[in-house]
Amino acid sequence: MALDKVVYTAHATTTGGRNGKSSTGPLELTLAKPKEMGGDGNGTNPEQLFAAGYSACFMGAMGAVAGKLGLSVPADAQIKAEVDFGPKGTGYGIGVRMAISLPGMGREDADKLVATAHQVCPYSNATRGNIDVVLTVV
């Protein structure tokens, strides 16, 4: 489905795949397979980048919807994201688990905030129906 309007476009150039380099301009990364996948683990991998991107985007989505719900995201809110990688059918797949900490917020409000953010977050919308995503308020 096409976007209604492009607001921003990110760029990255990667060489060497999981054992290479990736550049987005200000961000220069050495990529390496994790030890669990036969690599040396001396670099960043796509699953780490996905975890960082999804959790940051989700935090932004919570901020975007909080005011509409009469809530505010606590200054010390935190998301711990885990991205699993493994075989799936004839290929490979990922799964996501995010533990969302909203200190001082009541459980009902926290659950409402997370559920609403999950409906607007671009990563959530991109992954919905494609991979398992488990969101847990802790």
Side-chain angles (χ1 to χ4, degrees):
M1 178 195 291
L3 298 173
D4 293 338
K5 176 183 173 184
V6 175
V7 176
Y8 168 75
T9 300
H11 300 273
T13 302
T14 301
T15 57
R18 285 185 174 272
N19 289 312
K21 301 275 184 195
S22 188
S23 171
T24 64
L27 179 64
E28 302 282 334
L29 297 169
T30 297
L31 304 173
K33 285 183 187 178
K35 291 179 181 180
E36 297 85 350
M37 293 172 62
D40 63 17
N42 291 326
T44 303
N45 63 63
E47 293 72 32
Q48 291 169 322
L49 295 169
F50 196 87
Y54 197 165
S55 60
C57 189
F58 199 88
M59 186 74 75
M62 287 193 305
V65 300
K68 296 172 186 167
L69 298 173
L71 302 170
S72 60
V73 177
D76 54 350
Q78 184 178 62
I79 298 175
K80 291 186 179 181
E82 297 177 301
V83 174
D84 300 320
F85 172 92
K88 180 178 181 181
T90 59
Y92 295 93
I94 61 171
V96 175
R97 293 183 312 276
M98 291 198 290
I100 303 159
S101 174
L102 299 162
M105 184 176 285
R107 184 57 181 238
E108 186 176 320
D109 285 341
D111 287 342
K112 184 188 334 181
L113 178 63
V114 167
T116 305
H118 191 42
Q119 295 306 307
V120 302
C121 175
Y123 275 70
S124 293
N125 288 330
T127 59
R128 188 171 290 110
N130 297 311
I131 66 171
D132 289 333
V133 174
V134 177
L135 305 174
T136 306
V137 176
V138 296

